[in-house]
Amino acid sequence: MSEQKTLSIIKPDATARNITGSINARFEQAGLRIIAQKRISISKEQAEKFYEIHQDKAFYDSLCEYMSSGPIVVQVLLGNDAVAKNREIMGATNPANAAIGTIRRDFGESIEHNAVHGSDSEENAATEIAFFFSGIELVG
């Protein structure tokens, strides 16, 4: 196992319900450390840039609209195999298909309003982290 960083976003549906602390507790209980964190709002254009990897998919426009609809919490998680561990903690994209005890099963409302985003690879994690954070903001 190697120590790595991954990006986590607590989405607008979760921030609106004031459950960021409950979600963060899941990460910490699983051994991941939050080494950078900020609550921000992004424009639709910023969301389009962040999710440009999905621009050819049917859900792209609604995803960008949704992610710019309210505050989000962006954070960097650090731990052994952090990318895989975060994805395990999050659960399947569709909360109805997510394992019991995962964030999306417990807090997600729909496929789009599924409470959290997480990087899907170490390479994408590095790109996604750099989108939101400068190196000086990573403390841990």
Side-chain angles (χ1 to χ4, degrees):
M1 290 195 293
S2 64
E3 190 167 75
Q4 53 185 221
K5 297 177 188 94
T6 192
L7 183 82
S8 168
I9 300 176
I10 300 177
K11 294 181 176 183
D13 64 287
T15 62
R17 290 180 285 143
N18 202 31
I19 58 173
T20 58
S22 298
I23 291 170
N24 283 337
R26 302 280 182 102
F27 298 134
E28 292 176 333
Q29 290 165 357
L32 297 172
R33 290 186 340 161
I34 301 167
I35 63 167
Q37 180 182 68
K38 53 190 168 185
R39 182 183 181 98
I40 62 173
S41 290
I42 60 173
S43 67
K44 185 169 185 215
E45 292 76 23
Q46 289 168 315
E48 289 169 346
K49 177 75 173 155
F50 181 76
Y51 286 108
E52 70 184 354
I53 192 170
H54 299 301
Q55 64 187 348
D56 296 330
K57 297 184 178 149
F59 61 83
Y60 175 73
D61 287 331
S62 66
L63 174 62
C64 294
E65 191 73 39
Y66 163 63
M67 290 300 290
S68 61
S69 70
I72 59 175
V73 174
V74 293
Q75 54 198 10
V76 179
L77 307 176
L78 175 71
N80 289 329
D81 294 322
V83 172
K85 176 60 76 176
N86 182 35
R87 297 192 68 74
E88 176 185 326
I89 296 163
M90 288 190 311
T93 302
N94 184 344
N97 298 333
I100 294 171
T102 61
I103 292 170
R104 288 175 171 160
R105 176 66 172 249
D106 293 345
F107 300 117
E109 298 175 317
S110 67
I111 290 175
E112 189 171 85
H113 294 210
N114 61 10
V116 289
H117 162 92
S119 303
D120 63 0
S121 70
E122 202 168 353
E123 297 75 26
N124 283 343
T127 301
E128 292 180 350
I129 290 167
F131 187 89
F132 289 108
F133 294 95
S134 69
I136 197 168
E137 294 177 290
L138 306 179
V139 181

